[in-house]
Amino acid sequence: MKDEQNLSTVYEPQKVEEKWYQIWEKEGYFKARAEEESSHFSIVMPPPNVTGSLHLGHALDSTLQDILTRWHRMQGEDTLWLPGTDHAGIATQARVEEHLAKEGLSKEALGREKFLERVWAWKKQYGGHITTQLRKLGTSCDWSRERFTLDEGCSEAVKEVFVRLYEKGLIYQGNYIINWCPKCQTTISDIEVEHEPHAGMIWHIRYPVVDSDEEVIVATTRPETMLGDTAVAVHPADERYRMLVGKQLRLPLTDRVIPIIADDYVDKEFGTGAVKVTPAHDPNDFAIGLRHNLEQIAVLDRHAVLNEHAGKYAGLDRYEARRQVVADLEKLGFLVKVEEHENAIGQCYRCDTVIEPMVSKQWFVKMKPLAEPAIQAVKDGEIRFVPERFTKVYLGWMENIRDWCISRQLWWGHRIPVWYCQDCGKVICVKEEPQVCPECGSGSLVRDPDVLDTWFSSALWPFSTMGWPQETETLKCYYPTSVLVTGRDIIFFWVARMIFSGLEFMPDVPFQDVFIHGLVLDAQGRKMSKSLGNGIDPIEVIEQYGADTLRFMLITGNTPGNDLRFQMERLEAMRNFTNKIWNASRFALMNLTDYQEVNCGTNAGGSATGNTAVEGTEYTLADRWIRSRYNHTASEVTRSLIRYELGEAGRLIYEFIWNELCDWYIEMVKSRLYGKESEASRKTAQKVLAQTLRETMQLLHPFMPFLTEEIWQHLPHQGETVMLAPWPQGAEAELDEQAEADMTVLMDVIKAIRNLRSEINVPLGKKAHVVLIARNDEVIAALQKGEGYLRDLAGLAEIEMLLNSQEKPEQAVAAVVSGVEVYLLLQGLVDLEKEKARLEKEKGVFEQEITRLEKKLSNKGFLTKAPQEIVAKEEDKLKDYQTKKTAILERITSLGC
Ligand SMILES: [Zn+2]
Ligand SMILES: [Zn+2]
């Protein structure tokens, strides 16, 4: 026996995981082959932020992708899982700025070029962090093809796309109301604004009508913006204001007059039915302003400080200005009342600062023409969402899509490829920096200072990472990708944008299936967040429990698309599972030291060595049963994986390993392995055990890559790694319904006898005598085939089998299962007199309780006064005691003394 054949006494995931990952990566097992004639499977990894750390969401996302990738690779497909990271404009820039601040520096002080050098240096130092963490999880991506959204190739693709869309008229510059984060100092898109309910105030303000005693009262949650009001709007059908429409109002605190206008947008029922209109600081007012050609007066600057248009309030922060405006309104008698009011305030998703809607010149992508084919592709089934319900979410958004504001006032990112001629004003959009203006020949050109929204480059990820705009071998082999795996929270940010980009430029869908998973919540079902402090670091979990345990925990107990709660108990349970597998494998290997297998593991179906026993013996019932169960499980697991029911697939394997292979087969095969039967029988047992365990490791491999590799390598096998071993489909030839039916009878009877033993406190070691009365011939045949197992596993010295006997044994405890009446004879097992005395005493206790409850429940006072549920509870208790008493009486009768 070779030393390395031994598994260590205790499973140490840390050692095993690190060892195998290094070997796999070094041997190039993760690499895609890029063979045009092969069948292909490809996934692009949703690129995590380059500055980020792995969180449980990534861990779930990556585990799902890894399972699919490993499963397809084992099927012999040419498989590519393409990894990479995102430059994450705001997030990364903010991180580096924080660092600079600690050195007493700012990006303005450094200047654009120097600042970008610092960000690249930061990326070089910390950018590998998250990919190192992904390796710890066991992800089998092709690291040789790792990409970064700001690398040369991706940048090339971004420029190409921008210029093409610009030339097509689908990118334009316009004044628009955008969401501005005064802290991050950039525009953020609508979907990056988070709306949280806030307890705030609503102020009712009096606007006097010019040359009249009349007035209009408006309500606002942001009184400081009144300084930028350019109208008050009412509903056209609102009788209260009909006579006032067209008149002028005097805007308090200013010397301006503004008109009263009528617009359908106004809700007559809300507040006074009159609303102030501030086109420069509210998206709805902006739209009203466009309809009525109103002036846009911006009163806030980019730091949310009031500007010169705010008169005496200029220079005040928005909240200080609010206090002063309200104080002045009150002093001058314009304030009618203040009420408490809950409203949803938009906050920056990055820094939680309250966003400020502002009008500014930005770049936009015209969405309607791009959205149409992207809607059609999903409607036509070219792209399929799993679970199906997300189709509706996607279509709903795409059908109501607004133009996409793509410019960001940042330095870190893809700089917009547009230059402005300082002499003739020409706008030049080209990929490479122009030397002179093509219009007037001037050399005085200034580049647009903005960069593109991070999602602009990630929208191109499925093809930019494969070499587009060149026509590459990689694109030919792997585009469209097979499936996109991602969280439901980024369907709009990312999935939708990849779809229209792919259709526009490839032109083909970027993926066939979109597999959406939920979020990982804490044990109480709350989102994990820094402020709640309920986050769990997956790396700490891996260090403590191992990656396999974490992976298995994340994917089981989880159905597609639904959120998942992270529970420590489930993690513990999964660790017990890995230990169970380890211990079973250790046992097997200790009994396989003299076993040599020929021609193992060459057939995906599983019956590599054929369904034949060693000469001179046959497969036993247990052998046939475990082979049948294994192959059943393999085909069901395959079916579940095809349907993206990865959690169900994991559960099936778990049940098979725990409840069938470990708890039954290994127990049943022990006496043969110990040589208590013929040598041929021992060899056959070794063969079935080795084969089944090896193939089970193959089946489990995509889910628990490390543990399975370690065990597989110790078992007789062919090939270098379980990663490339054939995927078990389930061999029909080995399915054996008869063996499964027979074993069901035997297992039920054995379990029943064990239960009876524990009821009367008799340990398994004390040999017993049973009488089994079978309902029919088939059942009795099953019992006869399994007599040996009954003896071994139920601790029996004597078994009597009767067919349909009317005579029942006396002095026995009984149970009925699977068409068998089971009688465990008490003679010799227990002291009948003592047992009877014990039961009589127990009966007495129940009788007392029954009398007490019956009395209570016939008491009218109790029945009328006590709450319904208390009465019901007492009634249930009484029923329970009565049932127990009956059972004891039966037992006393069965003692027959
Ligand atoms: Zn912010
Ligand atoms: Zn020019």
Side-chain angles (χ1 to χ4, degrees):
M1 179 186 125
K2 285 178 292 175
D3 240 13
E4 57 267 32
Q5 243 177 315
N6 267 336
L7 291 175
S8 63
T9 332
V10 180
Y11 181 49
E12 294 169 285
Q14 296 75 14
K15 268 194 205 161
V16 168
E17 293 179 356
E18 203 179 317
K19 174 184 76 181
W20 283 116
Y21 201 90
Q22 279 178 11
I23 294 173
W24 292 335
E25 200 175 350
K26 195 173 118 259
E27 296 295 327
Y29 297 148
F30 301 154
K31 281 192 182 162
R33 304 194 298 266
E35 297 163 349
E36 223 178 303
E37 65 282 4
S38 294
S39 81
H40 300 103
F41 178 81
S42 56
I43 300 187
V44 289
M45 173 188 289
N49 287 357
V50 68
T51 51
S53 310
L54 197 71
H55 57 63
L56 279 174
H58 297 128
L60 171 63
D61 196 63
S62 304
T63 300
L64 296 171
Q65 291 174 73
D66 195 47
I67 291 171
L68 294 172
T69 303
R70 286 179 185 269
W71 169 50
H72 280 274
R73 198 184 283 119
M74 287 175 80
Q75 292 175 75
E77 289 173 69
D78 176 6
T79 299
L80 168 64
W81 181 13
L82 199 156
T85 49
D86 192 287
H87 66 280
I90 299 184
T92 310
Q93 177 161 328
R95 192 76 73 82
V96 176
E97 279 189 82
E98 274 164 33
H99 251 249
L100 288 177
K102 280 182 203 151
E103 297 173 33
L105 279 169
S106 71
K107 72 174 195 298
E108 287 77 16
L110 279 177
R112 188 164 189 144
E113 213 166 301
K114 282 267 175 306
F115 175 73
L116 287 178
E117 279 170 23
R118 291 290 293 255
V119 189
W120 278 108
W122 169 276
K123 190 251 169 194
K124 202 170 164 206
Q125 193 173 354
Y126 300 103
H129 183 60
I130 193 147
T131 52
T132 308
Q133 292 185 315
L134 278 167
R135 285 172 166 90
K136 284 196 194 302
L137 194 65
T139 53
S140 64
C141 22
D142 185 348
W143 293 109
S144 70
R145 293 172 186 264
E146 182 181 347
R147 300 301 298 269
F148 177 51
T149 48
L150 259 183
D151 67 21
E152 211 176 305
C154 289
S155 302
E156 184 65 21
V158 164
K159 281 190 274 182
E160 180 77 24
V161 164
F162 189 98
V163 172
R164 282 205 210 173
L165 288 175
Y166 181 84
E167 283 170 357
K168 228 177 153 179
L170 292 178
I171 280 186
Y172 65 92
Q173 218 173 3
N175 268 329
Y176 203 74
I177 187 116
I178 45 86
N179 308 295
W180 179 262
C181 175
K183 174 132 187 270
C184 297
Q185 283 292 300
T186 183
T187 312
I188 56 177
S189 71
D190 289 343
I191 41 180
E192 288 167 334
V193 178
E194 286 174 351
H195 293 273
E196 298 264 346
H198 271 262
M201 296 289 177
I202 188 160
W203 287 268
H204 295 250
I205 308 169
R206 201 187 310 277
Y207 285 15
V209 178
V210 174
D211 298 331
S212 159
D213 294 338
E214 288 177 288
E215 60 187 23
V216 173
I217 295 169
V218 297
T220 178
T221 56
R222 303 174 62 209
E224 70 282 7
T225 62
M226 67 170 290
L227 301 167
D229 284 1
T230 51
V232 164
V234 296
H235 194 274
D238 194 335
E239 290 300 330
R240 292 170 291 178
Y241 300 109
R242 175 161 290 186
M243 298 309 290
L244 290 176
V245 173
K247 293 200 171 164
Q248 302 285 317
L249 296 168
R250 189 165 298 286
L251 185 64
L253 310 185
T254 72
D255 51 8
R256 289 195 288 121
V257 290
I258 56 174
I260 303 177
I261 58 169
D263 193 284
D264 283 334
Y265 163 77
V266 180
D267 179 1
K268 281 194 291 182
E269 311 303 324
F270 184 78
T272 59
V275 298
K276 61 195 267 317
V277 182
T278 325
H281 294 294
D282 179 277
N284 296 313
D285 295 5
F286 179 79
I288 295 176
L290 291 184
R291 285 198 286 275
H292 297 269
N293 209 14
L294 299 174
E295 196 186 345
Q296 298 165 355
I297 301 178
V299 294
L300 288 159
D301 73 7
R302 300 197 151 197
H303 298 277
V305 169
L306 279 83
N307 64 15
E308 69 277 12
H309 300 298
K312 66 177 255 208
Y313 306 98
L316 297 178
D317 164 78
R318 54 183 162 173
Y319 298 114
E320 181 51 30
R322 178 174 301 175
R323 273 186 289 278
Q324 298 211 11
V325 163
V326 169
D328 289 347
L329 287 171
E330 189 163 22
K331 201 161 62 191
L332 297 170
F334 291 112
L335 190 66
V336 181
K337 60 174 173 177
V338 188
E339 289 172 321
E340 281 179 7
H341 180 77
E342 184 173 289
N343 57 351
I345 293 181
Q347 291 173 311
C348 171
Y349 83 113
R350 280 286 318 151
C351 70
D352 293 338
T353 301
V354 173
I355 61 109
E356 199 57 64
M358 282 191 187
V359 177
S360 71
K361 203 172 191 190
Q362 301 288 342
W363 288 97
F364 292 87
V365 174
K366 199 177 276 176
M367 283 310 306
K368 271 273 172 297
L370 293 168
E372 271 162 27
I375 289 168
Q376 209 50 47
V378 170
K379 281 189 174 164
D380 291 348
E382 281 180 74
I383 295 175
R384 187 173 69 114
F385 280 84
V386 180
E388 209 270 327
R389 66 176 186 273
F390 289 104
T391 311
K392 234 172 124 184
V393 176
Y394 167 84
L395 289 177
W397 192 68
M398 288 298 266
E399 279 160 1
N400 296 295
I401 200 160
R402 299 211 307 188
D403 284 355
W404 176 18
C405 175
I406 50 170
S407 40
R408 295 290 182 272
Q409 289 66 51
L410 301 172
W411 287 353
W412 176 242
H414 297 278
R415 193 160 174 185
I416 288 174
V418 167
W419 286 259
Y420 306 99
C421 174
Q422 298 303 95
D423 288 324
C424 73
K426 167 100 181 147
V427 177
I428 309 154
C429 176
V430 284
K431 282 173 70 182
E432 298 314 322
E433 178 160 13
Q435 296 308 307
V436 291
C437 169
E439 196 76 15
C440 71
S442 160
S444 170
L445 304 176
V446 173
R447 187 169 187 178
D448 193 295
D450 289 353
V451 300
L452 289 164
D453 181 5
T454 294
W455 298 99
F456 193 89
S457 50
S458 29
L460 319 180
W461 191 242
F463 52 90
S464 65
T465 52
M466 295 194 194
W468 187 89
Q470 264 74 54
E471 281 177 31
T472 63
E473 206 56 33
T474 311
L475 278 169
K476 231 183 275 171
C477 287
Y478 303 111
Y479 191 97
T481 61
S482 314
V483 57
L484 175 80
V485 180
T486 193
R488 63 172 166 78
D489 50 338
I490 53 175
I491 295 178
F492 306 145
F493 278 112
W494 195 43
V495 180
R497 288 168 180 167
M498 280 191 286
I499 294 176
F500 70 68
S501 303
L503 285 166
E504 175 71 16
F505 295 102
M506 282 307 293
D508 196 353
V509 294
F511 27 73
Q512 278 138 9
D513 291 344
V514 183
F515 177 29
I516 303 280
H517 58 76
L519 309 177
V520 185
L521 307 175
D522 74 0
Q524 281 128 60
R526 299 173 304 176
K527 240 176 140 171
M528 292 190 183
S529 73
K530 261 192 207 133
S531 54
L532 284 174
N534 60 348
I536 287 171
D537 178 0
I539 297 302
E540 278 174 27
V541 176
I542 289 173
E543 275 160 11
Q544 200 183 341
Y545 292 87
D548 285 334
T549 299
L550 174 64
R551 289 166 64 113
F552 212 72
M553 183 267 172
L554 285 172
I555 65 110
T556 50
N558 180 15
T559 49
N562 293 328
D563 292 344
L564 151 97
R565 290 186 185 195
F566 190 90
Q567 282 154 327
M568 286 318 274
E569 308 85 75
R570 291 199 48 240
L571 201 56
E572 298 282 348
M574 292 310 144
R575 175 161 63 186
N576 293 344
F577 181 51
T578 57
N579 287 336
K580 182 110 177 166
I581 297 170
W582 188 257
N583 292 334
S585 304
R586 266 174 53 77
F587 168 81
L589 285 163
M590 280 189 276
N591 289 284
L592 290 172
T593 47
D594 64 336
Y595 174 67
Q596 284 196 340
E597 193 170 306
V598 279
N599 188 28
C600 51
T602 51
N603 181 326
S607 59
T609 38
N611 190 0
T612 50
V614 173
E615 222 182 315
T617 181
E618 282 181 347
Y619 267 21
T620 62
L621 173 60
D623 294 339
R624 287 191 288 122
W625 169 75
I626 199 68
R627 293 305 302 159
S628 181
R629 288 305 308 145
Y630 160 74
N631 283 291
H632 250 142
T633 306
S635 64
E636 279 175 54
V637 166
T638 306
R639 266 202 296 277
S640 298
L641 288 175
I642 290 169
R643 291 195 296 258
Y644 292 103
E645 286 165 1
L646 277 60
E648 174 63 7
R651 190 192 65 78
L652 288 164
I653 303 175
Y654 177 97
E655 299 282 330
F656 170 74
I657 293 178
W658 192 293
N659 296 333
E660 297 180 319
L661 184 60
C662 293
D663 279 359
W664 289 98
Y665 184 71
I666 288 181
E667 292 304 317
M668 295 176 125
V669 88
K670 272 182 179 166
S671 65
R672 290 162 70 203
L673 289 173
Y674 296 158
K676 292 189 181 161
E677 292 171 30
S678 70
E679 182 57 17
S681 172
R682 188 173 80 91
K683 289 275 180 235
T684 302
Q686 285 181 322
K687 184 192 141 179
V688 175
L689 180 60
Q691 183 187 357
T692 307
L693 188 57
R694 177 182 62 242
E695 289 168 1
T696 302
M697 291 305 104
Q698 287 165 215
L699 194 61
L700 181 62
H701 175 72
F703 302 83
M704 290 194 173
F706 298 109
L707 176 78
T708 52
E709 180 79 294
E710 180 72 11
I711 294 170
W712 189 87
Q713 293 284 349
H714 282 82
L715 288 162
H717 65 268
Q718 278 189 350
E720 293 171 29
T721 168
V722 67
M723 276 188 67
L724 303 176
W727 172 252
Q729 314 269 1
E732 223 156 285
E734 288 200 79
L735 298 184
D736 190 332
E737 297 303 334
Q738 187 61 50
E740 293 201 20
D742 289 348
M743 270 298 296
T744 304
V745 172
L746 286 170
M747 292 189 297
D748 284 348
V749 170
I750 291 167
K751 275 187 271 184
I753 297 171
R754 286 179 177 175
N755 285 343
L756 291 173
R757 280 174 167 279
S758 79
E759 268 176 39
I760 56 170
N761 270 321
V762 175
L764 206 56
K766 204 163 179 185
K767 296 289 173 210
H769 179 171
V770 295
V771 176
L772 304 174
I773 304 180
R775 195 197 297 137
N776 57 38
D777 292 332
E778 261 174 61
V779 173
I780 213 154
L783 292 172
Q784 279 161 351
K785 277 182 248 175
E787 203 179 325
Y789 304 132
L790 286 169
R791 275 179 206 284
D792 285 355
L793 301 179
L796 303 179
E798 215 171 316
I799 307 170
E800 281 177 65
M801 296 181 201
L802 305 169
L803 182 61
N804 260 331
S805 165
Q806 291 308 312
E807 248 176 77
K808 317 291 178 202
E810 285 181 355
Q811 296 192 335
V813 280
V816 182
V817 285
S818 295
V820 185
E821 290 170 42
V822 179
Y823 294 91
L824 178 63
L825 303 192
L826 293 168
Q827 195 76 54
L829 272 190
V830 290
D831 182 330
L832 295 179
E833 285 305 325
K834 253 197 204 158
E835 178 67 4
K836 191 180 172 192
R838 191 181 68 79
L839 290 171
E840 289 287 0
K841 200 171 151 199
E842 216 173 308
K843 188 184 81 175
V845 174
F846 285 126
E847 276 169 348
Q848 255 179 15
E849 280 302 299
I850 289 167
T851 317
R852 187 181 66 80
L853 284 171
E854 278 172 345
K855 213 166 138 193
K856 195 171 182 183
L857 286 165
S858 59
N859 180 339
K860 286 220 175 75
F862 171 73
L863 289 178
T864 46
K865 273 186 219 145
Q868 199 78 47
E869 63 268 24
I870 300 281
V871 177
K873 225 180 188 173
E874 297 293 304
E875 280 170 348
D876 284 349
K877 247 195 239 169
L878 176 61
K879 259 184 237 154
D880 183 43
Y881 288 140
Q882 281 164 337
T883 322
K884 281 185 174 145
K885 186 187 150 192
T886 315
I888 287 176
L889 283 174
E890 274 172 27
R891 296 264 293 281
I892 291 173
T893 318
S894 73
L895 292 177
C897 57

